[in-house]
Amino acid sequence: MTTSVAMAQALNAALRDALGADERVVVFGEDVGRLGGVFRVTAGLTDEFGDRRCFDTPVSEAGIAGLAVGMAMAGFRPVVEMQFDAFAYPAFEQIASHMAKTRNRTRGVLPLPLVVRVPYGGGIGGVEHHSDSSEAYYAHTAGLKVVTPATAADAYSLLREAIDDPDPVIFLEPKRHYWTKQELQLPARTEPFGTAAIRRPGSDATVVAYGPSVAVALEAAREAAAEGLDVEVLDLRSLVPLDDRTLTASVRRTGRCLVVHEAQGFAGVGAEIAARVQERCFDALVAPVLRVTGFDIPYPPPLLESAHLPGAGRVLEALRRLVPGGPERGFRQVARPSADSTGRTFHLPDLGEGLADAEVLEWTVAVGDTVEQDQVVAEVETAKSVVTLPSPYAGTVTGLHCRAGEVVRVGAPLLTVADSASEEPGSGAVLTGYGTTGARRAAQAPSPASSGASSRVSAAPRQPDSVTRTFDATAEKYLRSHRDTPAVTIWADADATGLLAARTTLGTGLLPLLARACLAGLAAFPDLNSRVDTDRGEIVRLPEVHLGFAAQTARGLVVPVVRDAHRLGLDELAAELGRLTELARGDALPLGHRTGGTFTLNNYGPLDVDGATPILNHPQSAMLGVGRITDRPWALNGRVEVRKVLTLSLTFDHRVCDGGTAAGFLRHVTDRLMSDSAT
């Protein structure tokens, strides 16, 4: 049966259950015995288990920490309390030099299962040394695990897991929430260390918080919802280990990230989160990562505490800056109207690359104007480029649904046209090596009404009875790549007889074997897994390989991305390639696997061609192409035989490497395919 449980009560229950379950567990610290702790978290434990299992210590934090290290080395599982956050600083030498280092010092022979409970953060009006946010010190100390609950259920579950863990755990308890209640049934088990929790799903921005800041983020998200912003709140729960996967997936889904914590901003945990988001989600971000933190000052006296701590108002203000065209600029969530007898409405189409909105720069038509199908009616700017929008309908403009300068969401109505003709579908055509634009759109054709628009992206005139596709943001990437990248393509043939044999021997497809050879080549020649930072004039070598590959679908070629492909074995690689291919064919490919590729493997074989010279997928620096397998004469051991031969091509940015490096990579791949494909 569920009851209303405060966080302090949940912690008390976790300690009581741990003491009862394992006689090696001991609890000690200042006033934790008969008094039950300043916050009564240890109340009743001495009475129930005796003063040999829960006892008071002298006022010496360094001594408490040192005793915990010694007892853990002797086989106990000590749980110690640092009465207040800033009281723990005298113990920091023991924590950093001995708790954090012992397991490494003994090369893993000696585990150190102990927990340091630290009431931390503000919100109670504590004077100096009684309120502080010290999480960055512990998170930066290798060898420690650092967790902080935001709910009573997590308080119970994470503390039980911390006590059972073989490593030292710094358990940060948000003191302002000790008496915040939650309906739950104890004992409760939530997700383990290293797992973040989405406390509120959303689509416009991700607010990352932990501990005491989670409640603030949720309050700000509720207020933002009243203004039309759909905010996702991510509770990290565990700072070390950190759930990079959930963090990355959330930010890639929303395209925006705001980090909130009470500690001062400089060199805080929020800086690390921002750096990781930048490294892993750069191609999906549509706005800079922002932080809302405490000020870079010593913790203030109680009367100034409310000004120092990030509140919902400061978070909401940051959200308004984070979301372009937020409430202060007229952003609005607009319900998509349906077609009726008065006309048909043109909605802002999917502009590709995960872009969620665009600013209307200029209308080229007005209410009452007559428009032709494919006539340009507006120029909009996304986070990536400026594009012109052609009308899919012909007729008279009866309404413009937004003003120039206004930011609108994908799917929001732009204009309504009366007496429209039927929409002519787009072709779904693709550019070699990249894939479709993600949606069928009508073609763009010049017209007198559009001649005055300052279009920066244009298309060739549409011929009668032909079907073309809009020159959109995807095409803009190709224009940029073709214009700015000195691309070179080199070729090599490979005997694929062994490759085909390996397919049978290993029970896998050709694509995983090709991908494995490609990854081996990138490991030997990592320069090809790079991007060019033209603003800084630097070549940035990327540590992770996110491998894009061509997948044939009913809409043409799509390029899913296998994230961290270099970490996968052959079976795992084959499974992931198959999974993403099926998702792509079902038009269900997640955003996180549609963008962010660092290198592309393009298989031209299904197109029945030997190869091609593709345009690179900016900002990638190289693409490996694999042609069809054909019977050809091949010199083998001094005689000519008919063998299965395929052609490989490497297209690369000449700024990243010279021809020798590129040839070395290509030869490495071909040698791998011919020599050890069956191993």
Side-chain angles (χ1 to χ4, degrees):
M1 183 178 68
T2 62
T3 57
S4 182
V5 180
M7 181 179 288
Q9 295 171 316
L11 293 167
N12 180 270
L15 291 171
R16 177 176 284 103
D17 291 349
L19 285 164
D22 190 341
E23 63 181 9
R24 297 173 298 172
V25 176
V26 291
V27 176
F28 55 92
E30 297 165 5
D31 297 323
V32 302
R34 297 299 174 186
L35 179 64
V38 173
F39 299 99
R40 303 300 185 265
V41 171
T42 57
L45 298 183
T46 298
D47 293 336
E48 185 171 349
F49 296 97
D51 59 8
R52 295 178 65 85
R53 301 286 304 282
C54 180
F55 56 88
D56 294 328
T57 66
V59 182
S60 173
E61 286 77 15
I64 295 170
L67 177 61
V69 172
M71 293 188 72
M73 294 174 69
F76 290 87
R77 290 182 174 270
V79 182
V80 303
E81 177 180 299
M82 297 292 161
Q83 201 167 68
F84 287 93
D85 30 38
F87 286 10
Y89 295 148
F92 197 76
E93 194 277 334
Q94 289 286 340
I95 294 172
S97 297
H98 302 291
M99 286 187 191
K101 304 296 192 298
T102 295
R103 193 166 192 185
N104 181 70
R105 186 178 296 133
T106 62
R107 299 299 184 262
V109 173
L110 190 63
L112 206 70
L114 64 85
V115 179
V116 180
R117 293 181 41 247
V118 182
Y120 89 116
I124 65 167
V127 296
E128 187 179 15
H129 302 309
H130 292 74
S131 292
D132 207 348
S133 297
S134 50
E135 61 268 27
Y137 301 138
Y138 303 114
H140 188 68
T141 304
L144 301 175
K145 293 181 179 177
V146 184
V147 298
T148 175
T151 67
D154 269 359
Y156 180 95
S157 182
L158 292 175
L159 184 54
R160 288 298 305 273
E161 184 179 0
I163 295 171
D164 294 338
D165 199 280
D167 290 314
V169 179
I170 306 299
F171 196 91
L172 301 173
E173 301 168 1
K175 62 173 79 83
R176 73 156 89 177
H177 291 302
Y178 271 135
W179 304 110
T180 299
K181 295 185 176 182
Q182 178 185 3
E183 292 292 323
L184 73 147
Q185 182 177 358
L186 295 177
R189 283 292 183 167
T190 57
E191 295 299 316
F193 290 177
T195 307
I198 296 177
R199 300 298 182 192
R200 183 187 190 278
S203 59
D204 290 331
T206 298
V207 176
V208 181
Y210 55 86
S213 297
V214 173
V216 175
L218 288 169
E219 181 183 354
R222 287 191 292 269
E223 295 183 17
E227 300 183 4
L229 302 182
D230 189 17
V231 176
E232 182 155 295
V233 176
L234 181 69
D235 176 7
L236 292 178
R237 303 174 68 250
S238 165
L239 303 183
V240 181
L242 184 71
D243 188 353
D244 278 311
R245 184 180 297 274
T246 302
L247 171 66
T248 299
S250 176
V251 176
R252 283 188 166 276
R253 187 165 55 251
T254 65
R256 299 178 177 88
C257 180
L258 173 66
V259 189
V260 182
H261 60 66
E262 289 186 8
Q264 58 264 39
F266 183 79
V269 171
E272 175 64 19
I273 301 301
R276 285 173 178 257
V277 168
Q278 163 77 7
E279 291 168 356
R280 292 161 172 78
C281 306
F282 175 79
D283 57 302
L285 289 173
V286 295
V289 180
L290 299 182
R291 290 176 290 162
V292 177
T293 70
F295 299 119
D296 294 330
I297 59 173
Y299 205 91
L303 291 178
L304 299 177
E305 188 180 50
S306 61
H308 174 73
L309 297 177
R314 285 175 58 191
V315 176
L316 185 58
E317 180 182 357
L319 284 169
R320 290 167 177 161
R321 289 189 288 117
L322 183 67
V323 181
E328 77 280 11
R329 287 180 55 193
F331 174 88
R332 53 183 178 174
Q333 294 278 29
V334 185
R336 180 170 179 155
S338 58
D340 55 34
S341 59
T342 62
R344 303 190 69 181
T345 299
F346 174 35
H347 302 84
L348 181 64
D350 179 1
L351 299 172
E353 302 185 71
L355 299 171
D357 49 46
E359 179 181 354
V360 178
L361 296 180
E362 181 182 4
W363 286 106
T364 60
V365 296
V367 174
D369 287 354
T370 299
V371 296
E372 301 294 331
Q373 185 177 358
D374 301 332
Q375 177 181 324
V376 172
V377 294
E379 184 181 63
V380 301
E381 183 174 17
T382 71
K384 300 289 186 179
S385 62
V386 174
V387 297
T388 53
L389 298 180
S391 172
Y393 313 121
T396 302
V397 177
T398 59
L400 301 180
H401 298 285
C402 54
R403 301 179 302 274
E406 186 173 338
V407 175
V408 294
R409 303 286 290 174
V410 169
L414 294 177
L415 83 165
T416 298
V417 178
D419 301 322
S420 61
S422 299
E423 179 181 359
E424 183 175 326
S427 68
V430 301
L431 293 174
T432 301
Y434 189 76
T436 64
T437 60
R440 294 191 173 194
R441 307 182 182 96
Q444 172 183 331
S447 68
S450 64
S451 60
S454 57
S455 172
R456 273 163 268 183
V457 181
S458 58
R462 185 169 63 89
Q463 300 299 321
D465 300 324
S466 68
V467 179
T468 61
R469 78 176 178 90
T470 306
F471 218 29
D472 57 9
T474 300
E476 172 65 15
K477 289 181 62 175
Y478 276 89
L479 287 175
R480 176 178 178 182
S481 182
H482 185 69
R483 180 180 63 243
D484 299 338
T485 303
V488 178
T489 301
I490 57 176
W491 307 75
D493 290 336
D495 182 351
T497 306
L499 179 67
L500 295 175
R503 177 179 61 178
T504 302
T505 302
L506 299 176
T508 187
L510 289 178
L511 186 59
L513 295 172
L514 293 168
R516 184 176 68 166
C518 179
L519 294 169
L522 290 175
F525 297 89
D527 286 347
L528 290 161
N529 195 58
S530 303
R531 63 177 174 83
V532 176
D533 188 331
T534 54
D535 293 335
R536 295 177 176 269
E538 298 174 347
I539 296 173
V540 182
R541 183 183 292 178
L542 305 173
E544 315 292 338
V545 180
H546 303 315
L547 183 67
F549 68 98
Q552 187 68 40
T553 74
R555 301 172 311 283
L557 286 176
V558 177
V559 181
V561 176
V562 178
R563 307 200 68 80
D564 298 316
H566 60 297
R567 302 183 189 277
L568 303 180
L570 180 61
D571 292 342
E572 296 172 307
L573 189 59
E576 185 68 356
L577 289 167
R579 182 181 75 89
L580 294 178
T581 299
E582 289 305 312
L583 289 173
R585 288 172 177 167
D587 199 21
L589 193 65
L591 177 61
H593 291 286
R594 281 187 277 153
T595 60
T598 62
F599 187 96
T600 295
L601 171 62
N602 200 342
N603 184 6
Y604 306 119
L607 303 178
D608 200 29
V609 297
D610 295 333
T613 56
I615 300 174
L616 292 177
N617 180 16
H618 180 82
Q620 294 178 26
S621 296
M623 179 186 297
L624 180 69
V626 181
R628 61 181 176 174
I629 298 176
T630 58
D631 290 332
R632 298 189 208 171
W634 189 266
L636 184 67
N637 299 324
R639 64 180 185 275
V640 176
E641 295 184 4
V642 175
R643 306 283 285 186
K644 299 292 185 181
V645 178
L646 61 78
T647 299
L648 293 94
S649 64
L650 176 69
T651 300
F652 64 97
D653 186 334
H654 215 320
R655 296 171 297 180
V656 168
C657 66
D658 58 20
T661 299
F665 168 85
L666 191 56
R667 180 50 56 193
H668 190 95
V669 173
T670 56
D671 289 347
R672 178 65 183 265
L673 292 175
M674 291 190 294
S675 65
D676 65 349
S677 293
T679 61

